[in-house]
Amino acid sequence: MENHYMMTGYPGFISGRLYRGLKEKDPSARFTFLVHPSQMKKARQMLDMEEKVKLVEGDITQEDLGMESGVMASLQETVTHFFHLAAIYDLAVPKEAAEKVNVTGTDRVNQFVRSIPGLKRYLYFSTAYVSGERTGRVTEEELDQGQRFKNHYESTKFEAEKRVRALDGVPLTIIRPGVVVGDSRTGETAKFDGPYFVMRFLDGMGPLPIPYIGHGRNPFNIVPVDYIVNATVYLAHAGKDGTFHLTDPSPYTAREVYRMISEELLGRKPMFTLPARLADGLMSIKPVRRYYDVEKEAIAYMTNQSDYDSSHAQAVLAEGGIRCPDFASYLPNLVSYYKKHREDPEKKIKIQ
C-alpha cells in the first residue's frame, strides 16, 4: 500500500522543502496539501501540475478544516501520515490571531487526525521556544514547568503542544526546531526574518563602530532548514514516538554568533558592548526599528537562557546518519546568499 502524506502549511518554506524530501525518500507516495484560499495561487504555481499531488482548499480554524464533506471522507480513508506545520510564526503576532490559528487550528487538526483509522504517524511542528523564559537545561519530554513567555507566539505554541500531547492512541512525533535559518549548502531562505535581524542590524551600522548586544554568554541555538527537513523525513518513518529537539547539540554563544556574522558580513569585529536593555529600548522607537530593519521582539532571542538537551533526537537520528552541521561551517553560505538577495522585495519583512 502506498503512503499518502497530508500536510498543512503549504506553500511555506519548510513545507515546500519537506515535500521534496519526502518525495525523494518515497517516490511512489501520494500527497495532499491543505491550502488556505489566500495561498492557493502560489501553491499551484510552485507545484506546476506535479503528479500524485492534490491541493485541497481549506482553513484549519474552521470545522472539518474547511473541507467539503466528500473530500474529508476520502482523506480519512487513505491518509497514512499527517504533517501539521500551519501556524503564525510572527514574534509580534497579536494574542487573538495567534490563539485562533495556533491553538484553535491545532484543535481542529487534532480532531481530524483522530478520525483517520489507518494513520501511521502524526508529526506536529512545535518549537523549542515553548520553554519561554526558562533558564538552564530543557529536556525534550518537559513542557509545562510554570514558565512565562516572551510573546504570544511562544505561549500559543505551548498551548497547542499541550493539546497534541493529550491525544491518546495516536502514533505521535513532536518536532521542536531551534532558530531556523537558510540551507546550509546554498544559504537559500524565504525571508530575512528572525535571526537575520543580526545581519540587517549590522548592515545599518555603516562605518560606525560595531557594538555587541548584551553580554551574550547564553547559547544561541541556530539550525539550518535542510537539517530540519532531513530529520523530519527520517522521523516520519523511524517509528519512534516522542518529542524531538531539532536543535544544535553544541551551540555557540550569542556573542560568538554575533562576532562571526560581523566578521563574515563586514570584515570587522564588534568593539564594545551595548546593554541589552538599552538596545531593547532603542528598538521600541519605530523610526529606529525601521532604519535598522529589525523587529524588537527578535532581540530577546539573543539573551535567551535555555539550553536545549537533544539527546533523544541525536540518538534516533544517528541511526540514519543525520547530524546537525556546525554553524561556522555554513555561515559563509548564509551570508553570501544574504548579500546577493538583501534588496529583493520578497525577502524583506515589514517592520511595525
Side-chain angles (χ1 to χ4, degrees), residues 212-220 251-259 273-276 299 301-305:
Y212 285 105
I213 305 297
H215 61 74
R217 292 187 290 270
N218 55 287
F220 190 19
Y252 291 92
T253 66
R255 194 175 186 89
E256 290 170 329
V257 169
Y258 189 91
R259 173 186 55 77
T273 300
L274 189 69
I299 293 176
Y301 291 86
M302 286 294 286
T303 57
N304 181 71
Q305 297 297 315

Side-chain angles (χ1 to χ4, degrees), residues 270-302:
M271 303 276 296
F272 64 99
T273 300
L274 189 69
R277 286 188 178 182
L278 178 57
D280 189 65
L282 288 172
M283 292 305 161
S284 297
I285 305 170
K286 185 181 291 188
V288 175
R289 287 200 303 276
R290 289 186 170 176
Y291 175 78
Y292 285 104
D293 212 16
V294 171
E295 312 104 309
K296 176 179 180 292
E297 291 77 12
I299 293 176
Y301 291 86
M302 286 294 286

Side-chain angles (χ1 to χ4, degrees), residues 179-252:
V179 177
V180 182
V181 293
D183 191 286
S184 66
R185 299 153 299 185
T186 66
E188 181 188 3
T189 190
K191 286 186 179 293
F192 295 128
D193 56 3
Y196 289 89
F197 87 89
V198 175
M199 296 185 197
R200 300 196 307 271
F201 176 77
L202 291 170
D203 252 353
M205 293 305 297
L208 296 173
I210 302 168
Y212 285 105
I213 305 297
H215 61 74
R217 292 187 290 270
N218 55 287
F220 190 19
N221 208 294
I222 293 174
V223 286
V225 67
D226 48 304
Y227 171 64
I228 301 299
V229 168
N230 292 339
T232 302
V233 170
Y234 184 80
L235 292 172
H237 304 91
K240 303 290 179 68
D241 293 345
T243 302
F244 297 84
H245 273 155
L246 297 189
T247 52
D248 188 337
S250 302
Y252 291 92

Side-chain angles (χ1 to χ4, degrees), residues 19-27 31:
Y19 159 60
R20 295 195 292 273
L22 289 166
K23 183 180 177 183
E24 182 178 347
K25 168 76 175 179
D26 192 359
F31 293 84

